[in-house]
Amino acid sequence: MYAIELTDGTTSATMPLLHVPLSQSNVEGAVDVQTLDNNVYTDFVALKRFWAHTWRYMKESDFNTLKGFYDRQFTLFAYPRLTISELGVVDVPVRMTLSPQNIIDNCGTVEDVEVTFRETRQLEETS
Amino acid sequence: MQTVSTKFNQLANGQVRPLKWEVRASFDKDFDEDVNFFELNTSLLNGGDVLAPSNNSVIQEWDKYKYINLSDRVISVEVESEQTEPYSVVQSMADITFNNYDNFFTPKSGSAIQDYILPRRPFRILMGFGNETVPLFVGLSTKLPEINKQSRTARFHCIDFLTYLFEQKIDNTVMLQDYSTGEILSYLLEHLGLLPSQYDIDPVSFNRINFFYVEKGATFGSIVRPLMQAEQGRLWMDELGIIRFLNRQNYPTTSVISYDESNVVDYDPPTDDDVINYAKITAKVLEEQDTQKLPEIAEVFSIPAGGTYEYWFSFSDPVTEINTPTYSATEIEDSFFTASLDKDGTLPYADVVLDSIDVFNKSAKLVFQNTGSSLAFVTGLVLWGKPVKVIDVIEVEESDQDSIDALELRPYEFETNYIQDRNDAVSKVSILVDDYKDVGSVIEFQAKGNPAVQIGDIGTIDLDGFQGDHVISKVINIMSIADGYTQRIRATHKDPRTYFILNQSLLNGSDVLSP
């Protein structure tokens, strides 16, 4: 089964089982350049990965766990690290985004929780 | 071209090119005294030793700074190197934009380097492909970074060390006789505090200057540019930080790279912006004269009994030597002064002596002492010495009538005291007109970049309107996450040849006869 594990300077958590689809894509740091003879070449800086997932419904406590990782990006000044073992993703620093908290009942259940993770390097050498 | 590996060239010419840049800075300007050049089988790979330039074994002081690697923070980095046309010096500058999301580069932000975010911080920039980079820039930031709070970026503007030296002032008058361009450069660089190991001066210069004279306070740049213009040589700081001077015979003569539609992204059509079809040089030839009576006359001044008086004597021409004046009641064929008990000089008074004399090229300080017990007047002061005078004004011009007929007059004139020979001046105006008389002499284009390309390289161009060998005189390298790699080049069409100058060029050497 596919699972998302998150770690940062405060805690680690394995999020609820995923609802498919889980998408994985590439972020091309690349530019195609056309020469005068109408051919192209590609200059690239780096390929990075991007993951997106939506939980159709999520318990309030699970959402709060997820939101905790999102919020701590801006208090720890560091990105969380993502592990999805089944995809060979292990402890990869990621820029995380989180969709709005759409509460649909009095238990605090949240609907359509979309999370995205963009692979990046942690700048810890100079900070 | 800088020397690179075969792999580097394969990547540079390839279809998919992994860009790599390195930006390092020394904010605390700490020296690492242990820095040595890399020695095979001795130095650690990726250790602290720096690579020595292939043809030189000097350690530059700027190599010794402890640099931190800021490459991961770079959003964009730009290095621009340009040789002033038509012949002069090469200067480089750089702009680096960093990710500053955590205020690392923001002064007074609590950053680990906040105490060192100051002007004049050393930077090094390298660019390349894959795992290999070549050095492109060594220099200093000009001021504090521009912080953009909204985009969370910090931008540094830097100049190379040579440009920094150009801004430095010469702190006393310089007077040199019978010095070559290279010898003058060595003298000035040493005067600015550089060690001979920090520069590499071509041992042969074609310009020899009878009398080189620079006033105190002149900037190094204001002296060097006309010197290079007269020599038609090239002064630059190479990518490794070594200041180099080459005479025009030692410029590269063989093409090292080709440009055609397969590796040019865009180019400007031929223009007449850079055409020179009329050149004129006006040069004043200075020469030291035999000892003679100097025309300036001193004013009468008084010295109290037992006192001294400091008198400044100004000359219209520089002087290299002054005979020390002595007291004489009557005029003699040498430096002398007369003293009297009255202003009119009717009561000669021999108790005035010259205590000291200091000569400063266009002035002299003389200190007189009145050893007697009466008020004394120095009523006459005549100095004999060796003035330096303009003995000839060379005016030489050259034009190309076909070009003038087609494009109207495009003059280029300059005055200099650094060309001392008429044949030399004739050769120089001929070279100028020949190199720049045609439309399309200069091309600017965006290439499929290669950071190993250097100013002075010869590239063979095959594009509509531009054919043949061109000398590269400007290179802009920009690497950024958003736009990849952009390299813009300016190159001047030039047959790689030089002109024969009587008594200077080697017989059977590479110089050809001037047109």
Side-chain angles (χ1 to χ4, degrees):
Chain A
M1 297 294 283
Y2 290 91
I4 288 176
E5 293 174 52
L6 289 169
T7 307
D8 65 12
T10 302
T11 189
S12 289
T14 301
M15 300 313 298
L17 288 179
L18 305 186
H19 302 184
V20 290
L22 163 69
S23 87
Q24 176 177 251
S25 57
N26 284 332
V27 181
E28 281 188 3
V31 178
D32 293 335
V33 186
Q34 183 177 311
T35 48
L36 291 173
D37 61 0
N38 204 24
N39 289 310
V40 295
Y41 64 92
T42 302
D43 284 336
F44 76 97
V45 179
L47 281 181
K48 298 291 178 184
R49 291 165 293 179
F50 183 87
W51 300 270
H53 179 66
T54 302
W55 283 273
R56 188 78 181 89
Y57 299 101
M58 193 173 233
K59 285 194 297 186
E60 182 182 31
S61 59
D62 288 334
F63 183 85
N64 287 342
T65 301
L66 203 55
K67 189 164 186 303
F69 284 103
Y70 171 80
D71 289 342
R72 284 192 293 276
Q73 294 179 114
F74 308 106
T75 54
L76 299 175
F77 305 123
Y79 295 130
R81 296 193 302 279
L82 174 73
T83 297
I84 308 175
S85 304
E86 291 78 5
L87 294 178
V89 177
V90 180
D91 249 1
V92 175
V94 287
R95 165 75 169 102
M96 177 183 176
T97 66
L98 185 61
S99 61
Q101 187 173 3
N102 300 316
I103 301 166
I104 56 165
D105 61 25
N106 285 325
C107 298
T109 304
V110 185
E111 187 183 39
D112 290 336
V113 178
E114 185 184 7
V115 64
T116 69
F117 303 105
R118 197 273 195 204
E119 180 182 13
T120 186
R121 182 175 290 182
Q122 198 84 271
L123 298 176
E124 47 205 3
E125 300 94 319
T126 49
S127 57
Chain B
M1 292 279 276
Q2 294 196 58
T3 305
V4 291
S5 69
T6 308
K7 177 74 177 169
F8 185 100
N9 279 326
Q10 283 171 349
L11 288 171
N13 297 325
Q15 296 255 256
V16 182
R17 314 190 306 166
L19 304 183
K20 183 173 175 64
W21 58 68
E22 290 178 55
V23 176
R24 300 177 191 155
S26 176
F27 283 97
D28 55 9
K29 290 176 115 173
D30 252 8
F31 267 125
D32 183 352
E33 295 298 340
D34 296 330
V35 165
N36 293 302
F37 280 122
F38 192 92
E39 286 181 38
L40 209 59
N41 301 326
T42 306
S43 299
L44 289 174
L45 272 176
N46 299 320
D49 293 358
V50 295
L51 287 173
S54 56
N55 55 346
N56 196 306
S57 62
V58 298
I59 291 181
Q60 306 303 313
E61 290 303 299
W62 25 84
D63 274 335
K64 289 197 156 195
Y65 288 119
K66 289 180 181 170
Y67 290 90
I68 57 171
N69 193 337
L70 299 166
S71 308
D72 287 344
R73 289 179 170 270
V74 171
I75 292 173
S76 72
V77 54
E78 173 174 346
V79 178
E80 177 175 333
S81 301
E82 179 174 14
Q83 173 178 303
T84 312
E85 295 279 5
Y87 310 100
S88 188
V89 295
V90 179
Q91 291 176 261
S92 296
M93 57 184 175
D95 288 287
I96 312 137
T97 303
F98 290 109
N99 181 338
N100 191 38
Y101 72 98
D102 56 354
N103 289 322
F104 182 70
F105 300 105
T106 308
K108 297 183 178 176
S109 62
S111 152
I113 60 165
Q114 66 169 354
D115 293 339
Y116 304 109
I117 304 172
L118 298 166
R120 306 293 188 199
R121 303 294 103 177
F123 276 77
R124 302 192 76 116
I125 297 171
L126 304 91
M127 292 185 188
F129 303 105
N131 294 318
E132 189 176 349
T133 54
V134 291
L136 285 189
F137 180 83
V138 185
L140 297 165
S141 59
T142 54
K143 54 185 181 178
L144 268 60
E146 289 174 20
I147 304 293
N148 187 323
K149 297 293 277 184
Q150 206 157 39
S151 62
R152 291 175 172 264
T153 57
R155 181 175 167 276
F156 287 85
H157 179 68
C158 304
I159 54 173
D160 70 352
F161 281 104
L162 187 59
T163 306
Y164 171 73
L165 286 178
F166 284 164
E167 297 169 1
Q168 305 309 302
K169 290 183 175 171
I170 303 297
D171 59 10
N172 58 11
T173 304
V174 175
M175 193 166 60
L176 304 170
Q177 290 188 69
D178 196 24
Y179 268 52
S180 69
T181 303
E183 289 165 344
I184 292 169
L185 282 173
S186 297
Y187 179 92
L188 294 174
L189 289 168
E190 194 175 338
H191 182 88
L192 287 170
L194 275 77
L195 301 170
S197 58
Q198 290 181 276
Y199 47 86
D200 183 13
I201 303 296
D202 198 323
V204 177
S205 308
F206 292 112
N207 222 16
R208 197 150 194 99
I209 299 165
N210 293 344
F211 186 79
F212 177 81
Y213 170 75
V214 170
E215 291 276 7
K216 174 184 174 183
T219 60
F220 178 62
S222 70
I223 302 165
V224 164
R225 286 188 186 90
L227 204 57
M228 283 301 110
Q229 192 178 39
E231 175 70 34
Q232 292 184 338
R234 181 184 300 141
L235 181 75
W236 79 105
M237 171 173 271
D238 73 11
E239 294 80 358
L240 291 159
I242 300 161
I243 294 169
R244 294 183 185 277
F245 160 67
L246 273 188
N247 79 52
R248 64 180 177 279
Q249 276 203 339
N250 287 334
Y251 289 1
T253 52
T254 53
S255 177
V256 291
I257 192 165
S258 296
Y259 292 105
D260 56 30
E261 292 193 344
S262 71
N263 62 357
V264 171
V265 177
D266 196 12
Y267 69 101
D268 298 332
T271 72
D272 59 352
D273 291 350
D274 300 286
V275 168
I276 297 172
N277 51 31
Y278 170 85
K280 180 180 178 183
I281 291 177
T282 305
K284 290 177 182 168
V285 181
L286 299 168
E287 192 174 271
E288 183 188 62
Q289 305 296 297
D290 292 338
T291 300
Q292 58 190 257
K293 183 181 175 183
L294 302 175
E296 290 79 11
I297 298 167
E299 296 168 356
V300 175
F301 54 88
S302 63
I303 312 172
T308 59
Y309 188 87
E310 185 179 297
Y311 186 81
W312 281 87
F313 208 104
S314 296
F315 312 110
S316 53
D317 296 315
V319 292
T320 57
E321 206 175 295
I322 295 284
N323 292 356
T324 302
T326 53
Y327 172 80
S328 173
T330 56
E331 180 158 357
I332 57 174
E333 293 289 297
D334 202 348
S335 296
F336 75 99
F337 64 91
T338 54
S340 174
L341 290 169
D342 64 337
K343 278 185 183 177
D344 299 330
T346 56
L347 302 167
Y349 184 63
D351 286 347
V352 173
V353 294
L354 181 71
D355 186 52
S356 66
I357 179 169
D358 292 301
V359 181
F360 303 96
N361 303 317
K362 290 185 88 169
S363 64
K365 185 178 83 171
L366 300 95
V367 179
F368 292 91
Q369 187 176 14
N370 181 354
T371 59
S373 55
S374 304
L375 176 69
F377 294 88
V378 172
T379 52
L381 173 59
V382 173
L383 294 180
W384 283 57
K386 291 182 175 176
V388 176
K389 293 190 172 183
V390 176
I391 56 161
D392 189 17
V393 177
I394 298 171
E395 279 193 353
V396 172
E397 53 189 5
E398 174 69 31
S399 60
D400 185 277
Q401 198 54 50
D402 290 344
S403 175
I404 293 172
D405 290 345
L407 303 165
E408 299 182 336
L409 187 67
R410 302 299 176 91
Y412 178 84
E413 299 181 31
F414 70 95
E415 289 187 21
T416 179
N417 290 343
Y418 300 152
I419 293 176
Q420 308 277 282
D421 179 86
R422 184 170 295 275
N423 289 332
D424 192 14
V426 168
S427 181
K428 278 164 183 160
V429 289
S430 300
I431 293 170
L432 263 169
V433 171
D434 201 44
D435 282 347
Y436 290 90
K437 67 181 187 297
D438 297 322
V439 168
S441 300
V442 178
I443 179 173
E444 293 203 20
F445 60 101
Q446 182 183 336
K448 180 179 179 180
N450 183 341
V453 169
Q454 293 174 296
I455 300 275
D457 283 347
I458 293 179
T460 304
I461 295 177
D462 181 14
L463 295 166
D464 285 346
F466 299 98
Q467 305 284 331
D469 286 350
H470 288 65
V471 178
I472 292 170
S473 56
K474 182 179 181 180
V475 182
I476 304 173
N477 288 292
I478 308 168
M479 282 193 179
S480 75
I481 292 168
D483 299 317
Y485 179 25
T486 304
Q487 183 178 60
R488 289 202 62 82
I489 290 174
R490 185 184 68 204
T492 306
H493 183 259
K494 220 167 268 188
D495 296 324
R497 48 84 186 94
T498 49
Y499 296 93
F500 193 91
I501 297 176
L502 205 60
N503 299 327
Q504 291 185 15
S505 298
L506 294 174
L507 271 176
N508 300 321
S510 60
D511 283 9
V512 296
L513 289 173
S514 289

